[in-house]
Amino acid sequence: MAGEISFFELGVGDAERARAFYGSLFDWSFGQGVSEGGGYEIRTPGAPGGVHGSDPGAGPYLFFRVDDLKAAIDRVVELGGTVDDFALGEDDETVARYGRFTFCHDDQGSPFGLHEPPKGG
């Protein structure tokens, strides 16, 4: 597992307002995302990200890169952590574009995410 931040997600009340705010603040560019009810992919000079609406006041979601999501999930559980029952866009097209994601909690209950980038990405 490489462990570097490979994706971040911002939960906000209104994705369009967030696009205007963060685009102006950081000069980020945005593309159409896959979130239900609207959302955007965020293109930054560093790690890619996303923004979704209907999640006001949420903290950022950080996803750490892993080479093999299944093996990483097994290791989280082995170390006393938990894995949420979560699947985002598990259809072939979405996985090919964004990879696979899951939410976890460490052995003290702190949340984090795992991200297996798309093959070749």
Side-chain angles (χ1 to χ4, degrees):
M1 297 189 302
E4 69 269 12
I5 294 173
S6 70
F7 193 86
F8 68 95
E9 180 79 15
L10 302 175
V12 298
D14 182 314
E16 184 61 38
R17 283 181 55 196
R19 178 178 172 235
F21 179 88
Y22 289 104
S24 293
L25 180 63
F26 296 127
D27 199 29
W28 288 345
S29 61
F30 294 79
Q32 192 58 46
V34 297
S35 299
E36 291 183 26
Y40 298 96
E41 64 180 40
I42 302 171
R43 299 180 191 114
T44 75
V51 62
H52 64 272
S54 300
D55 197 1
Y61 300 98
L62 294 179
F63 293 88
F64 298 98
R65 181 186 182 103
V66 297
D67 296 325
D68 179 337
L69 187 60
K70 171 72 170 97
I73 287 170
D74 291 346
R75 185 72 174 139
V76 167
V77 173
E78 179 181 312
L79 293 170
T82 60
V83 179
D84 293 358
D85 184 19
F86 168 80
L88 172 65
E90 289 294 314
D91 63 273
D92 291 341
E93 182 179 331
T94 301
V95 169
R97 185 172 176 183
Y98 298 106
R100 297 184 189 281
F101 297 85
T102 195
F103 288 121
C104 302
H105 291 85
D106 68 16
D107 63 343
Q108 299 180 68
S110 295
F112 65 97
L114 298 174
H115 174 225
E116 179 184 324
K119 302 301 178 208

